[in-house]
Amino acid sequence: MRRIRGVKRSVRFPVSPTLLRRLAYTSIIANVAIVVTGGGVRLTASGLGCPTWPRCTDESYTTTSEMGVHGVIEFGNRLLTFAVGIIALAVVLAVLAQRPRRRGLLPLAVGVLLGIPAQAVVGGITVLTNLNPWVVGLHFLASMAVIAAAYALWRRTGEPDGPVTPTVPAPLRTLAWITAVVTTAVLVVGTWVTGSGPHAGDHGAARNGLDPEAISQVHADGVFLLIGLSVALFFAFRAVGAQRAARAAGVLLAVESGQGLIGFVQYFTHLPAALVAAHMLGSCLVLLATLGVLWSTRERLPDTPPAPATPLAEPVGATA
C-alpha cells in the first residue's frame, strides 16, 4: 500500500466490532470448556496421567504408550490450554487492529491472555504436589477468575466508551454486589466439598480431611442464601421498573435452580461422575449469570466528543 502524503497509513487488516465481539465470546466458551475437560481428567482418575510438569515424563514432553489412556487424557487436556491461549492471543491482536482503537479493551484482553499461562502453572503445581486438594481447588478458582475477565471483555466490546451510570437505585446495586460475594463464597466452599469427596483425580491422591457431610451442609446453606438473595433481587428490580435487571436476575435464578437440583441429586446418588461434570459446568454458568446481573445494574453512555471551541467575539468597531 503506497503512502499518500499527509495521510496516515491505514490498517491493512481492520477488525470489525462484530468480529471482535465474536472472538471475545469464543474466549468465554473456550475457558468454560477447559474447566469441564479438566474436571474430566479428575473424574477419570487421570490427574497424574502425566506424572510431572512441564514435561509429561522426566524424558518426554508428550505421553507415551506405557502411560495408557490416563496419559492420553491428561496430555490432551494440556494441549487444550494452547488452543485456549491461541484464542486469547487472537482477541488481543484483534483489539490492537481495531480502528478506531477502543479504550479499556486492551487491559482486559491482556489480562485474559496472561491468566491462561498463570492458570496452567497452578495446574502444574497440582501435579507436582500429587494433586493436593487445596491446590486443585485453587486451580479451579483461577479458571473462574479468567472466565470472569473474559466475560468482562465480551461485555465491554458491546458498550460505548462513555461514562458508566447506574440503572437501578444504589441499595439494589449494593444487594447485587452482595449476591456476587455470596456466589464467590459458594464456589470456594464448593472446592472444599470436592476436596473431601471421592473424586481425587488419582487413586493415591490425598483428601483435605474435612467431613464430607458437614462441609456439604455448609455448601448447601450458602446455596440457599444465594437463591434467597436472587429472589429478592428479582422482585426488587421489578418493583423499580428495571426490566433488564429483572430478566438477568431471572436467568440467575433459573441457573441456580438447575445447579441446585444437580447438586442434590449427585449427593444422594453418591456422586456419579457424569453429574459431577454437569455440576462443574453449572458452576461456570452460575458465575456468568451473576456477572450478568452486575452488568444489568449499570450502563455505559456514548462517548460525547468535546464541544467545538466558541470563537471569540469580534471587537466592536473592527473593520474588515
Side-chain angles (χ1 to χ4, degrees):
M1 181 183 296
R2 190 174 64 181
R3 185 182 182 89
I4 301 175
R5 182 175 299 177
V7 178
K8 293 183 178 179
R9 186 188 302 270
S10 61
V11 177
R12 193 178 294 268
F13 300 107
V15 173
S16 69
T18 300
L19 175 59
L20 175 58
R21 189 163 174 78
R22 287 175 178 173
L23 284 172
Y25 191 74
T26 303
S27 182
I28 297 175
I29 295 174
N31 279 284
V32 170
I34 201 167
V35 169
V36 177
T37 58
V41 171
R42 180 169 57 84
L43 294 169
T44 57
S46 303
L48 295 179
C50 287
T52 188
W53 187 87
R55 294 173 182 260
C56 190
T57 69
D58 290 334
E59 295 80 22
S60 173
Y61 281 99
T62 62
T63 184
T64 61
S65 58
E66 293 81 4
M67 300 168 69
V69 66
H70 294 306
V72 172
I73 293 173
E74 164 65 5
F75 182 70
N77 192 65
R78 292 187 184 189
L79 288 180
L80 285 178
T81 302
F82 290 98
V84 177
I86 289 171
I87 294 172
L89 177 60
V91 174
V92 171
L93 295 176
V95 169
L96 292 173
Q98 195 175 35
R99 293 294 184 273
R101 183 76 59 81
R102 293 285 310 283
R103 295 200 306 268
L105 294 185
L106 187 58
L108 286 171
V110 171
V112 173
L113 178 61
L114 296 181
I116 292 168
Q119 185 257 16
V121 169
V122 178
I125 295 173
T126 66
V127 173
L128 297 177
T129 58
N130 294 318
L131 306 182
N132 181 290
W134 300 105
V135 183
V136 171
L138 181 61
H139 188 211
F140 172 79
L141 295 175
S143 297
M144 294 295 102
V146 176
I147 290 173
Y151 180 86
L153 174 62
W154 174 68
R155 291 299 297 258
R156 187 70 181 85
T157 60
E159 297 177 331
D161 289 331
V164 173
T165 181
T167 58
V168 300
L172 294 188
R173 290 204 73 190
T174 300
L175 184 59
W177 277 105
I178 292 173
T179 303
V181 170
V182 174
T183 297
T184 303
V186 167
L187 291 174
V188 171
V189 177
T191 66
W192 301 349
V193 175
T194 299
S196 69
H199 298 294
D202 185 80
H203 298 298
R207 302 285 72 206
N208 59 22
L210 299 175
D211 178 68
E213 185 174 349
I215 195 62
S216 294
Q217 184 60 58
V218 173
H219 183 58
D221 292 342
V223 171
F224 286 133
L225 174 60
L226 178 59
I227 291 176
L229 289 169
S230 302
V231 170
L233 279 175
F234 176 75
F235 286 106
F237 288 151
R238 291 194 64 180
V240 299
Q243 296 303 321
R244 184 168 70 97
R247 286 194 297 271
V251 170
L252 176 59
L253 267 174
V255 173
E256 289 168 349
S257 299
Q259 176 74 336
L261 178 62
I262 293 171
F264 276 110
V265 172
Q266 72 171 3
Y267 179 79
F268 289 108
T269 55
H270 307 291
L271 303 175
L275 287 182
V276 174
H279 201 60
M280 293 187 69
L281 173 60
S283 297
C284 298
L285 298 180
V286 168
L287 173 65
L288 293 171
T290 302
L291 293 174
V293 170
L294 287 179
W295 253 261
S296 73
T297 64
R298 33 77 80 201
E299 64 181 357
R300 191 178 291 273
L301 301 177
D303 193 15
T304 304
T310 304
L312 295 176
E314 189 173 303
V316 178
T319 59

